[in-house]
Amino acid sequence: MSAERHGLPDRIGDAMVARTSPERMQRIWRGVGGLREARRRRRDVAVRAGGLAVAAAALLALGYFGGRAVSRDPTPAAQTAAPRGEIRFAGGGALPVSLAGERVVELDDGSRVSLAGARVEVVENGADDFVMTLHEGRVRYAVRPGGPRAWWIECGLATVRVVGTRFELERGATSLRVTVDEGAVSVRSHLIEGGVRILRGGEEVQLSEPVTPPADVSVQLPVEVEAADAARARAMGWQRMAERGDYERAWRVLGERGIAERTPTASAAQLLALADVARHSGHEEAALAPLERLLDRYPEDPDAALGAFTLGRIRDRRGQPRAAAAAFERALALPLPRSLVGDATARLAQARAASGDAAGASAAAADYLRSSPNGPRAAAMRALASPP
Amino acid sequence: MPSARAKLRAVVDPPADDVSDPELVARALRGDRRAEEAIFLRHAPGVTQMADRLLGSETDAEDVVQHTFEVAFRRLEQLDRPGSLRAWLLSIAVRRCHRVFRRRKLLRLLGIASHPEPDTLIDHLASGSSPESRAELALLDVALTRVPEKERVAWMLRKVEGLSLPECATACGCSLATVKRRIQAADTVVRAHLEGSR
């Protein structure tokens, strides 16, 4: 071959760039750790399930269960030996390649797929991966967490990767909607900035095929538009960096100006991500605007309570107790995760006390003591609840 | 066992180069996590590069590399010849790449192609490369689209990644004779295309 090649070295790879930055290697290493951890959890679950199965078998052998087992397999005749690791109907029947219409399918790994006017196909059904395609319609998935396989749903405009979660997909002719109720999925698509987005409970993404102008209508973009596009391209990927915890790099891409520019038009998830980039890169003040915007624009968002709590902490650290108290009040009025309610109540009491609202501080401290009489802040709250 | 948030300590404190693969494997089998990190640090860049070029998609390549090392650490005791660690890792990665190819093919067949067109070799070319290199690689990219998958993979391992023939055979999971035949078959197509284009 080398005799025919004039421009390339014998080992062609020597002429190429290696995309193996330390950041990427670190990310992959974390992924390896995640996979190993997931496998360890699955093994633990399998061991426990095995123990239960042995116990159940022993009971059956003793004739403890007299009745016949109820099969949820819609095709009991299809109960043949399954290839190793294959997902089957909960009753044991083999899954067909194609599923369509209005039906609820229960699977033997504890997952459930509910079709609403949808058509799906099982592309791969193995020990490690379960791959489905969604051709059209709406499907609600409840994938059992800690199950033995990674689930992938190919939807044309995107690939959805699932570990264990409840979510819904709706595919139209040129659109796709992904809504996550619980857990998390990663949505990969060339239509998403950075190529991938992690969706968590309460989040949604809508993708639409861009409309291509007819070939005979060529539009010359003004210079300013081209410049704006270039700027957008430069900023591409900050969200991906934030999702991976690389806040320093994301800050270098965005800067204070980038955060300010994006805040007015960002989604709830993006606002939280912008605030995270600012906070974790050591620019806490720049997180205030996205968090305020989140509370103004998306008060119904499931993450609004977390946003308010974070805002309260920042205001508190910056010596603004009145604003901090307002933010903690807001957080407590929203569906804040239970694990944070005690902390938010205590912080509210202290912020009120610091802003001169002794009665308010006492009331909040009393609230804390009612719910957590032996909580970690009980001593401080007792002092505030009954001031000298 | 590394957690999902585990930091790769060896990045800032790399192991000595004179520690051989067999020694690292032996240490890893005794439960030494630093040895696992050292194995990753030494071989992950090569596996990643190969997966990047074979698959033309960084996201898919990262999945493959993660899977490769998860499987490798789980089955390390099955490695007969620790001296051939690199080829063994590549063989796991190549098998996984074939699964990605199969899946893509099937999805294309079903009219569900969610991936944009994969990168080609020319997308990986170093900036500042000569126009001749660019032209050669553009021709190779086209030629390789005409080569069947298994032959293309064998050819790329040999000609792009520079693996020895025994390493190519191990990575492809076939005999030395078979891998030679595959490389030869791919070479014939590539030569014909290059000559026809001059």
Side-chain angles (χ1 to χ4, degrees), chain A residues 1 4-20 22 24-37 39-40 43 121-124 126-129 131-135 152 154-159 161 171 188-190 195-196 240 243-245, chain B residues 1-8 11 33 36-37 40 44-45 48-49 52-53 58-63 65-67 69-70 73-74 96 99 103 106-107 110 112-116 119 121 123-126 129-130 132-133 136-137 140 155 159-162 187 190-191 194-195 198:
Chain A
M1 272 305 298
E4 280 75 40
R5 292 201 309 261
H6 305 291
L8 292 170
D10 276 351
R11 186 167 74 176
I12 298 169
D14 289 344
M16 297 177 174
V17 275
R19 298 170 179 174
T20 53
R24 190 175 184 209
M25 291 298 104
Q26 183 73 60
R27 188 168 67 236
I28 295 174
W29 175 249
R30 280 200 299 267
V32 175
L35 286 178
R36 298 179 82 185
E37 182 63 25
R39 184 166 282 275
R40 189 184 59 74
R43 199 176 53 222
E121 274 175 22
V122 179
V123 175
E124 199 174 321
D128 296 325
D129 295 308
V131 185
M132 265 188 167
T133 57
L134 168 61
H135 290 270
W152 305 74
E154 299 282 355
C155 314
L157 292 182
T159 302
R161 186 181 180 183
R171 183 174 178 187
R188 297 170 181 193
S189 171
H190 61 286
V196 63
R240 195 175 185 190
E243 280 163 4
R244 289 173 170 167
Chain B
M1 179 174 295
S3 73
R5 289 268 165 210
K7 290 280 181 201
L8 191 53
V11 166
R33 272 201 52 201
E36 288 186 346
E37 292 181 14
F40 179 86
T48 307
Q49 246 172 249
D52 273 347
R53 293 165 187 166
E58 288 192 26
T59 321
D60 285 347
E62 287 182 19
D63 283 339
V65 181
Q66 287 172 11
H67 172 88
F69 282 89
E70 188 273 321
F73 292 139
R74 187 155 41 87
R96 193 71 184 179
R99 284 181 73 161
R103 189 177 297 167
L106 192 51
L107 291 172
L110 294 168
I112 303 216
S114 61
H115 300 273
D119 288 350
L121 291 178
D123 295 314
H124 292 262
L125 195 60
S129 298
S130 68
E132 290 83 6
S133 298
E136 295 273 6
L137 216 47
L140 274 179
W155 189 92
K159 305 287 183 180
V160 179
E161 304 303 325
D187 226 13
V190 169
R191 277 168 187 267
L194 293 185
E195 281 161 13
R198 290 208 171 98

Side-chain angles (χ1 to χ4, degrees), chain A residues 216-237:
Chain A
D216 57 339
V217 183
S218 62
V219 180
Q220 188 67 46
L221 289 176
V223 174
E224 323 69 270
V225 175
E226 280 182 2
D229 282 344
R232 269 201 294 279
R234 274 199 302 278
M236 254 178 78

Side-chain angles (χ1 to χ4, degrees), chain B residues 1-131:
Chain B
M1 179 174 295
S3 73
R5 289 268 165 210
K7 290 280 181 201
L8 191 53
R9 286 173 300 170
V11 166
V12 287
D13 184 15
D17 280 343
D18 56 4
V19 181
S20 66
D21 278 351
E23 173 61 24
L24 287 175
V25 169
R27 285 191 205 167
L29 283 171
R30 289 196 297 268
D32 181 348
R33 272 201 52 201
R34 293 296 302 272
E36 288 186 346
E37 292 181 14
I39 288 171
F40 179 86
L41 192 67
R42 183 174 291 175
H43 294 289
V47 177
T48 307
Q49 246 172 249
M50 183 206 70
D52 273 347
R53 293 165 187 166
L54 282 182
L55 296 168
S57 154
E58 288 192 26
T59 321
D60 285 347
E62 287 182 19
D63 283 339
V64 163
V65 181
Q66 287 172 11
H67 172 88
T68 299
F69 282 89
E70 188 273 321
V71 169
F73 292 139
R74 187 155 41 87
R75 299 185 183 160
L76 205 53
E77 76 281 356
Q78 295 174 13
L79 175 61
D80 295 334
R81 289 175 292 126
S84 60
L85 177 63
R86 179 168 89 131
W88 183 65
L89 290 168
L90 291 174
S91 73
I92 300 172
V94 166
R95 272 200 301 277
R96 193 71 184 179
C97 286
H98 281 299
R99 284 181 73 161
V100 175
F101 291 138
R102 275 199 300 277
R103 189 177 297 167
R104 283 183 188 169
K105 221 178 287 178
L106 192 51
L107 291 172
R108 276 200 299 272
L109 198 73
L110 294 168
I112 303 216
S114 61
H115 300 273
E117 276 301 296
D119 288 350
T120 53
L121 291 178
I122 205 164
D123 295 314
H124 292 262
L125 195 60
S127 59
S129 298
S130 68

